[in-house]
Amino acid sequence: MPETILTARTDRVLTITLNRPEALNALSSTMMREVVEAVTTADADPGIGAVVITGSERAFAAGADIKEMVGLGLADVLEQDLAAAWQALDLIRTPLVAAVAGYALGGGCELAMLCDVLVAAEDARFGQPEITLATIPGIGGSQRLTRAIGKAKAMDLVLTGRMMDAAEAERSGLVSRVVPADQLAEVAAEVAATIASMSRPVTHLAKAAVNRAFETPLSEGVRFERTAFHATFALEDRVEGMRAFTEKRPPAFRHR
Ligand code: CO8
């Protein structure tokens, strides 16, 4: 049984709730292992079409666990390759929805950015405050934040450690949607259920195509997209999707 997360399954959606409220969901090494394992297991399950990752009302996650890191030296972090295991989330094909209320700081902001659709409550606050601890982001924050909101804002956040509220995060392009706090769980569940109602292999291709935009020049990305687009024509679900449209009925996808 996991110690630091709760999981719940509804139909084709797995919801992972970070559950160390006493520490504002600080991302301990146990939590990292448990989140990565739950997401990796879901990714291998054809019955799951989307995963929601969420926290508490007060905090999505207030960063990596500072109390766990305080005594570490260089040899320790090199030996443990601290934070490397989070990279496993980069390889996940299943769409991940982050539902963020309260603090998403440091590693918490980085975990939210590792997700594909980021739904934020109006009271969400994002930041990379590592500089105030005399360290820097370690789970891709300096890279993903810069790609998401541009150099000017990323430098501001990473160098001053200030937080931005949900409205600024939405204006800046970090979050997909901002909703009242009491609707966060419902909206995130709806987004996930909508994604999970699509053909699973096609959601994987769509996610991979969008992610290509971050890894390659435009011409390469467009080429990748065209190949993936053509590949959908080999799927029964693509036949069903287009046939259902012409027959004015909902599609009955096989792979969902
Ligand atoms: N790590 C460990 N414990 C934490 C963390 C944290 N990141 N954040 C909060 N807590 C604990 C507090 O110590 C406190 O515990 P206790 O009651 O035992 O003292 C409890 O949670 C409640 O926190 P506060 O009393 O501080 O609550 P406030 O409402 O006063 O403040 C804040 C809330 C502003 C969010 C404040 O807690 C805070 O500043 N937290 C730290 C934020 C931070 O600096 N995050 C970055 C951490 S470094 C990082 O994420 C690097 C990522 C890359 C490396 C990955 C390696 C795995």
Side-chain angles (χ1 to χ4, degrees):
M1 275 296 276
E3 290 168 27
T4 64
I5 60 170
L6 303 171
T7 57
R9 171 102 184 247
T10 49
D11 194 18
R12 296 183 46 78
V13 174
L14 178 75
T15 300
I16 298 171
T17 303
L18 308 177
N19 190 35
R20 294 185 71 209
E22 71 291 350
L24 300 183
N25 288 332
L27 305 167
S28 61
S29 48
T30 304
M31 190 184 271
M32 172 173 67
R33 201 170 53 248
E34 291 180 349
V35 170
V36 168
E37 191 181 320
V39 175
T40 308
T41 305
D43 195 44
D45 181 346
I48 290 184
V51 175
V52 176
I53 302 180
T54 194
S56 68
E57 280 177 19
R58 207 168 151 220
F60 176 73
D65 191 325
I66 300 167
K67 292 169 188 167
E68 221 178 58
M69 294 187 293
V70 64
L72 300 180
L74 176 60
D76 303 310
V77 298
L78 291 178
E79 181 58 32
Q80 294 174 23
D81 204 357
L82 201 64
W86 287 111
Q87 267 178 19
L89 297 188
D90 237 358
L91 300 175
I92 298 298
R93 304 156 306 160
T94 306
L96 307 178
V97 177
V100 176
Y103 297 112
L105 303 176
C109 186
E110 294 171 299
L111 173 58
M113 290 190 291
L114 273 163
C115 295
D116 304 304
V117 181
L118 204 168
V119 184
E122 282 167 349
D123 69 353
R125 304 184 76 190
F126 298 87
Q128 297 290 160
E130 289 90 342
I131 195 87
T132 66
L133 306 168
T135 184
I136 69 168
I139 316 174
S142 62
Q143 306 305 299
R144 291 197 181 87
L145 191 65
T146 307
R147 282 166 163 77
I149 68 177
K151 176 180 168 181
K153 286 254 177 211
M155 282 291 191
D156 179 1
L157 293 176
V158 170
L159 288 176
T160 69
R162 81 168 173 91
M163 297 182 210
M164 67 178 168
D165 63 19
E168 183 181 359
E170 188 181 36
R171 268 199 317 278
S172 309
L174 182 66
V175 309
S176 316
R177 307 185 191 186
V178 176
V179 299
D182 62 359
Q183 291 171 25
L184 179 68
E186 189 188 331
V187 173
E190 268 171 29
V191 171
T194 301
I195 295 168
S197 74
M198 309 297 174
S199 170
R200 180 172 135 104
V202 179
T203 64
H204 294 181
L205 288 174
K207 170 171 170 168
V210 173
N211 278 335
R212 272 294 157 125
F214 295 101
E215 306 282 353
T216 56
L218 181 64
S219 54
E220 279 301 315
V222 170
R223 252 194 295 279
F224 176 87
E225 180 196 70
R226 193 157 57 241
T227 305
F229 165 67
H230 289 161
T232 64
F233 281 70
L235 290 168
E236 290 165 56
D237 281 347
R238 198 278 319 167
V239 176
E240 168 61 10
M242 292 193 180
R243 192 169 282 158
F245 176 83
T246 61
E247 294 171 0
K248 299 189 187 302
R249 61 172 174 79
F253 294 131
R254 177 157 169 233
H255 297 290
R256 73 171 171 199

